[in-house]
Amino acid sequence: MTTDHPRIPLAGVIGHPIAHSRSPLLHGHWLRRYGIKGHYIPLDVAPADLSDVLRTLPRMGFVGVNITIPHKEAILKIADIITDRAALIGAANTLIYRKDGRIHADNTDGAGFIANLRQNAPHWDPTRGPAAVFGAGGAARAVVAALIEVGVPEIRIANRTRPRADALRSDFGAKVMVSEWVQAANMLDGAVTVVNTTALGMTGKPEFRVPLDGLNPDAVVNDLVYTPLMTQFLAEAKDRGCTVVDGLGMLLHQAAPGFERWFGRRPEVDDATREAVLAG
Ligand code: NAP
């Protein structure tokens, strides 16, 4: 049924479980800040229901959704239009319901990763030398795609499970060099960008322990983990004189393109945004 009254735009985040997600706090902050009549809600959807739910939401006024664990890969089989970068990464995190009824899927994690480094390490020049990336999971794929896009000359990767790192080389090409996990510290030699994309160092997980003796004090060091904000890895890198950037900014920046498409305003990522998310 059509209506003459404008609908209040709805968006949300679909995951399973979803209670831990900070996205509702973040989008809620932006909606209030810009006085936008809209809502963003957490949606706990089991994998078996994902397709049905996604086809139903637009009929209820949803203009799009974020997609998180465990649906980020499966969504590519459901969406009608998939951006090249989402296809290359093999996962999507942002859906837009188009007026023609088709579901558009994109991956904004890589853009969020780059925007976080540019904002918090303004002198960072990724073209100046190699990047060292620890881990080869879904987040690493987005990080590697983004590093290639901004012109990093060489990307060194090590992962506990070697075949996942090898897959990154075959998918992303000759700029990617794979190292053994036990020799991962060697990747630091001359690296100007250093990123932990593993889940290590997160509250409740073992620490990320890699000897940092080879770390160049000029390097920009980033941890994708944001609970805690200052991981042991970042604290050690800071002690060695490096510029360190925590993972929260990536979470904030990856959300901005979706908010803009759904609610019509590019949101700012600043201290107030961080505080709103941390306070929740
Ligand atoms: P994922 O696909 O499950 O990959 C997990 C990665 O961590 C793999 O490389 C895995 O190695 C490694 N790992 C896990 N436990 C390990 C252990 N005990 N020893 C060595 N390596 C271990 O997860 P993901 O989506 O890539 O996420 C990875 C991390 O990034 C998580 O902490 C997540 O919260 C964070 N993240 C942050 C943002 C942000 O916005 N800041 C965005 C996305 C993800 P194996 O392949 O050997 O298992």
Side-chain angles (χ1 to χ4, degrees):
M1 200 178 77
T2 58
T3 168
D4 292 336
H5 304 293
R7 273 178 149 175
I8 291 175
L10 304 178
V13 55
I14 297 184
H16 185 63
I18 199 61
H20 65 282
S21 173
R22 298 193 188 207
S23 295
L25 282 171
L26 171 59
H27 288 269
H29 158 77
W30 280 332
L31 287 167
R32 280 192 304 280
R33 181 170 178 171
Y34 302 120
I36 295 170
K37 281 196 170 61
H39 297 281
Y40 183 101
I41 53 176
L43 298 159
D44 190 335
V45 178
D49 297 326
L50 183 63
S51 183
D52 284 351
V53 168
L54 284 173
R55 299 285 167 197
T56 306
L57 289 177
R59 289 185 243 153
M60 301 156 69
F62 275 79
V63 289
V65 281
N66 285 126
I67 298 292
T68 188
I69 293 166
H71 303 308
K72 284 171 98 167
E73 289 86 22
I75 195 65
L76 296 187
K77 296 200 180 75
I78 299 169
D80 304 300
I81 302 164
I82 297 162
T83 61
D84 289 346
R85 61 184 168 186
L88 186 62
I89 293 165
N93 67 345
T94 304
L95 301 190
I96 293 152
Y97 290 123
R98 289 166 41 126
K99 289 210 166 64
D100 63 10
R102 291 193 288 171
I103 301 175
H104 178 274
D106 194 7
N107 193 315
T108 64
D109 275 341
F113 162 74
I114 297 292
N116 185 29
L117 290 186
R118 294 231 187 268
Q119 184 174 42
N120 294 298
H123 67 285
W124 178 56
D125 178 1
T127 64
R128 213 165 48 80
V133 175
F134 299 92
R141 294 183 71 86
V143 164
V144 168
L147 288 173
I148 289 174
E149 221 172 290
V150 296
V152 171
E154 178 186 319
I155 302 172
R156 304 164 180 170
I157 297 187
N159 192 51
R160 176 183 60 175
T161 310
R162 165 93 193 214
R164 279 183 109 181
D166 291 334
L168 272 161
R169 179 175 165 90
S170 60
D171 291 348
F172 290 94
K175 279 190 176 178
V176 176
M177 309 284 179
V178 178
S179 291
E180 286 298 331
W181 182 241
V182 288
Q183 288 162 4
N186 294 345
M187 303 195 304
L188 296 171
D189 186 24
V192 304
T193 310
V194 177
V195 190
N196 173 36
T197 78
T198 75
L200 293 173
M202 214 169 152
T203 308
K205 298 256 183 197
E207 280 302 338
F208 174 50
R209 289 191 191 286
V210 66
L212 297 185
D213 310 306
L215 191 57
N216 179 348
D218 288 347
V220 171
V221 180
N222 173 225
D223 202 327
L224 262 48
V225 168
Y226 54 84
T227 46
L229 281 177
M230 183 56 75
T231 59
Q232 195 172 312
F233 168 59
L234 286 186
E236 281 179 32
K238 196 172 177 199
D239 284 348
R240 287 173 182 276
C242 296
T243 302
V244 301
V245 180
D246 68 53
L248 186 61
M250 175 172 167
L251 178 82
L252 307 180
H253 281 285
Q254 63 76 32
F259 186 92
E260 183 176 15
R261 290 293 293 270
W262 305 324
F263 299 117
R265 167 145 193 179
R266 182 80 183 182
E268 279 151 87
V269 174
D270 56 15
D271 288 346
T273 320
R274 275 176 78 89
E275 278 154 27
V277 171
L278 291 172

